Amino acid sequence: HDPVFSALSPRRIQLSGEPTDEDPVAPARVGEGATEVAPRVSEEAYPARAGGSFVGSLGLLRDFLRPARGRYVTATILGALSTLFAIALTTVSGWLIVRASQEPAIMYILVAIVGVRFFGIGRSVLQYGERVLTHTAVFTSVGALRMRLWGEFADRGAWSRKLLKGGSTIDYLVLSADRVRDLAPRVLLPAVVGATISVASVIAVGLLLAPALPLVIAVLLVCLVLAPLAATWSNKRAGRGQVLLESEMGRQFAGVLAASGDVKANGVDGVIRERLRRLDARLSGRARRSAWTLGLGQAIVILALVSAAFFTLLIAQSALSHGRLAPQIVAVVVLLPLALIEPMLAYVDAIQLWPNLADALRACALDPEPASIGSVERPRLSAIPTANSLELLDLAASWPDTATPVFSGLTLKARVGEWVIVRGRSGSGKSTLVALLMGYLRPSEGQYRLDGTDTADLEPSALRRHVAWSPQDAHLFNSTIRANLLLSRPKDQAPTDSEMLDVLERAGLGEFYASLPLGLDTRVGSEGSNLSGGERQRLAVARTLLTRAEVVLFDEPTAHLDFETARDLIAQLRAATADQIAVLVTHRPDDSSETDTIIDLEKLGSVTAAERILAS
């Protein structure tokens, strides 16, 4: 729609009338003959994922487990009992076989026969209960994790441009959360169970065959310490690199899906698919290397425990020949190390996967947010009655760890029914001002007041009840018009159908709505794909108007519209916000009127258009 860009092309196609040039513009094809280089993924690109201490990771794990900690404790107890029942089943079976070979009276082995059945059935029941509780607990924790992340996204809002991109939110809410969900049960229970049964095994061997106790302790140390260290050392970079590559794959795949139409139209879909194939090949290589290192640790465990069984037999032979040990007890102490193979293998797997789980937990932790209005150490109000005026007094804003302010000396005052136009080149601070007005950033100097109240005295949530934001690229969910509009208010204050129809009319969608057979139940498609660019923008504006906020922020609402449509939308917005304070961020001079307060962030003036005319 921009005439400056239109003037750059000698060929034009007028869709609403006759084409101005007989020859259509040939579609440009990019990527043909280009050499594609596989993307490199470095740990430095993801400091939150690559860094972090052991203590910090334990804190994140504690927070993850907290919503279902009772279930985790119960599941761990059931898991330990299930493993002990499995070991008892093996040893009692050995005792029974050896004792039965001596052909005693049935009453001497009847208890052992019942014990084999008891431990066999009990193991299955306990394992089933452990699995049900573990999965229930993990799904509860992951649900709470996703809700916490979603809440943090909402709290940060305009502060993080990274979070406004779909690939990043998918990485947090889906990929990282799913990794935690998959790894947590493979790390937590086997580690605790392995340590528990090791103590029980030492006690049992000490009671049955004390001379073999040093051997058993040494073998268990190999299984509990040496084997995991060997596996973890060889997997030091493989596991972490795999986490980073999975995140990169998820982001790129989400980006390709979002831009599938553009990618296909420009003929670069083959190049993109090849890039994803190369990334997938690197990810598969990391997975194979991780499996090899796990096999190394498992080989050490199996070798150690089989050797323990052999040498225990040699030790028991002396006691057996002197009559100090019954043959059936020899079977018990010899089979005990073999019964430990399965839980010890799970233990090594758990220790090897702990760095992956720690990285996944850190990947779910958002970067520290800058000091917000709510972080000031002073008494804070939970609410103010209304916001009939907005004042900025000698305001300056800067981002954390940045010495130079983005802007300074900003002063303005606006009341209900007035419009403030914010202009400036890219990088002049328009987005920073929006973040500050929404309460995601604290002024470095000056004051920001609503209805005479310094917003530094307000809780951020209280501030945002009075300020609503309509971003330039507002997200529309793949649902109905009704569902997207219902997001404007809490459930207990949901707008009625008549309110939704009224706000659609005020946003200039009256004729469009009248043409819809399903009305409010019309689906808008993924990110509003069933709507035109102007209709998507107007629907987002309608959702903002439904919030009942006294201050509304419009970020480039006419960016995707032609001149006539943009003019009509601004006129409709002015009528719709007659009882509100409107702040409009725009590059278009035609969006302002003589009565508006103009803020040029490059010049930092706070004068009306009329005053400029008089001054000239």
Side-chain angles (χ1 to χ4, degrees), residues 172-473:
Y172 281 108
L173 291 172
V174 179
L175 300 177
S176 297
D178 281 356
R179 278 195 295 270
V180 174
R181 178 201 65 195
D182 296 339
L183 291 171
R186 296 174 61 188
V187 171
L188 300 177
L189 269 67
V192 177
V193 169
T196 302
I197 64 169
S198 297
V199 174
S201 300
V202 169
I203 295 173
V205 172
L207 294 175
L208 298 175
L209 186 61
L213 191 58
L215 171 65
V216 171
I217 292 176
V219 169
L220 288 176
L221 287 176
V222 170
C223 295
L224 295 175
V225 180
L226 181 60
L229 283 178
T232 304
W233 176 79
S234 60
N235 190 44
K236 185 176 182 180
R237 294 190 62 83
R240 177 167 296 169
Q242 185 174 354
V243 171
L244 301 180
L245 282 169
E246 286 175 354
S247 294
E248 183 67 17
M249 172 66 85
R251 276 189 297 272
Q252 290 205 18
F253 189 71
V256 170
L257 288 181
S260 58
D262 297 334
V263 168
K264 186 71 174 178
N266 286 280
V268 294
D269 52 310
V271 176
I272 299 298
R273 285 199 300 269
E274 179 61 27
R275 177 189 298 174
L276 291 177
R277 276 194 292 267
R278 294 180 185 179
L279 194 57
D280 182 65
R282 294 178 62 196
L283 186 58
S284 299
R286 295 277 189 172
R288 285 191 294 270
R289 179 179 171 184
S290 181
W292 185 91
T293 58
L294 176 60
L296 173 64
Q298 292 179 343
I300 294 174
V301 167
I302 294 174
L303 179 62
L305 290 174
V306 171
S307 301
F310 176 75
F311 287 108
T312 300
L313 180 60
L314 296 180
I315 295 172
Q317 183 179 5
S318 175
L320 180 63
S321 61
H322 289 85
R324 297 194 304 268
L325 195 66
Q328 58 268 26
I329 301 300
V330 174
V332 171
V333 294
V334 170
L335 289 175
L336 179 60
L338 300 180
L340 291 174
I341 290 179
E342 182 179 351
M344 286 296 105
L345 292 179
Y347 174 86
V348 172
D349 188 16
I351 300 303
Q352 186 205 19
L353 291 175
W354 162 248
N356 291 12
L357 176 59
D359 283 342
L361 288 168
R362 287 193 291 268
C364 291
L366 300 180
D367 298 332
E369 59 181 312
S372 64
I373 288 176
S375 66
V376 182
E377 296 298 330
R378 54 196 290 183
R380 290 173 293 179
L381 303 174
S382 60
I384 56 175
T386 186
N388 292 320
S389 65
L390 181 152
E391 296 178 83
L392 305 180
L393 304 177
D394 200 20
L395 199 68
S398 59
W399 294 99
D401 302 323
T402 303
T404 305
V406 180
F407 58 78
S408 60
L410 177 56
T411 298
L412 72 88
K413 184 172 184 179
R415 297 186 179 277
V416 168
E418 297 179 353
W419 273 51
V420 178
I421 309 297
V422 181
R423 296 176 181 168
R425 292 182 301 181
S426 297
S428 60
K430 298 187 298 296
S431 298
T432 302
L433 178 58
V434 169
L436 190 146
L437 294 176
M438 289 292 294
Y440 298 116
L441 187 67
R442 186 178 68 236
S444 55
E445 295 178 11
Q447 289 186 339
Y448 166 29
R449 296 179 179 178
L450 285 180
D451 209 34
T453 301
D454 190 348
T455 51
D457 297 328
L458 280 177
E459 295 281 357
S461 58
L463 168 63
R464 287 190 280 273
R465 281 196 289 270
H466 301 278
V467 182
W469 176 45
S470 177
Q472 179 177 350
D473 295 308

